[in-house]
Amino acid sequence: MNKVILIGRVGTEPKSKKDYCQVRLAVDNKYKKKSGELVNNVEWFNIAGFGDIGNNMSSTLSVGDLVKFEGRLQSSKYVDSNGVKRTSWSVIPDNFERVNSPQKEKEFQHLNIVGKDIYTRVRD
């Protein structure tokens, strides 16, 4: 099964054409090291919406919006300008939901550093 669920903030203005929209999504990866140091790595994801999803992304999303995407991963192979074979990954959403309202943000508050329980992973 190829299923991806991401919740993050839109990091770029939507780039859109007819029935297509692309954004970059910034997703926090917060954890606590054994030393007690808090670390927040940001992972960036390409989101590529097609058809109605792409049109809705284009008309409703802006930089900074908190959004939940559900979809699948898709790879694309290409050769860069130096002749090196590369693979690019994108998330193709089946649906998305803006979670900017105070009520929705409360539902997803567990994604923020609220207390010690959020730090379940330990890394060196």
Side-chain angles (χ1 to χ4, degrees):
M1 178 187 297
N2 183 353
K3 178 80 170 178
V4 176
I5 300 173
L6 296 171
I7 300 172
R9 297 219 178 253
V10 175
T12 59
E13 285 297 329
K15 296 178 186 175
S16 59
K17 298 178 184 176
K18 181 178 168 69
D19 295 335
Y20 173 78
C21 183
Q22 179 182 356
V23 297
R24 299 266 294 153
L25 189 71
V27 177
D28 288 336
N29 181 18
K30 299 175 184 180
Y31 61 92
K32 189 182 220 178
K33 290 185 175 182
K34 287 181 184 178
S35 65
E37 178 187 358
L38 302 178
V39 178
N40 181 27
N41 290 326
V42 176
E43 300 285 343
W44 288 90
F45 294 88
N46 293 317
I47 311 292
F50 297 91
D52 290 340
I53 296 284
N55 290 333
N56 288 335
M57 286 171 55
S58 177
S59 64
T60 62
L61 296 181
S62 300
V63 171
D65 286 345
L66 183 61
V67 184
K68 175 184 174 187
F69 285 99
E70 292 186 40
R72 62 183 169 84
L73 272 179
Q74 179 175 299
S75 66
S76 300
K77 297 186 185 310
Y78 65 98
V79 178
D80 71 11
S81 59
N82 296 323
V84 178
K85 293 179 182 178
R86 304 270 184 190
T87 302
S88 171
W89 293 89
S90 295
V91 173
I92 310 301
D94 296 322
N95 60 67
F96 72 96
E97 175 184 5
R98 291 180 62 211
V99 291
N100 284 37
S101 69
Q103 181 180 0
K104 287 290 183 184
E105 285 201 28
K106 187 174 182 181
E107 289 178 34
F108 294 103
Q109 71 181 352
H110 64 280
L111 299 175
N112 300 322
I113 299 176
V114 176
K116 63 181 180 181
D117 293 337
I118 189 71
Y119 303 110
T120 56
R121 292 175 291 165
V122 177
R123 298 184 185 171
D124 293 320

